[in-house]
Amino acid sequence: MVIKMKSYIFYTEEGHTIAPNEDYEVENCQVLGIASGNDCQEAKRQLLEDNPWITEAGFSPSKFIGKELV
């Protein structure tokens, strides 16, 4: 039996973005990436392993929001 891994998108409310008009700071969510795993936790581990810049940039994995892509 083959178990197909699920894909998850991860985003966070941490940080901020700058609008095209740099005078504005925008409060919104930031997409960190998409990863696959047997469950959300496994996919998060894979995301962090494949993208060390996420923690280097100061994002906190405990604040990630992960949603399965269907």
Side-chain angles (χ1 to χ4, degrees), residues 12-30:
T12 184
E13 295 176 341
E14 292 179 284
H16 65 274
T17 53
I18 298 172
N21 176 345
E22 294 180 10
D23 293 333
Y24 291 89
E25 191 173 293
V26 181
E27 291 186 34
N28 59 9
C29 296
Q30 296 188 68

Side-chain angles (χ1 to χ4, degrees), residues 1 9 16 18-19 23 26 28 30 38 41 62-63 66 69:
M1 181 168 120
I9 187 167
H16 65 274
I18 298 172
D23 293 333
V26 181
N28 59 9
Q30 296 188 68
N38 291 318
Q41 288 299 85
S62 66
K63 295 184 179 178
L69 298 173

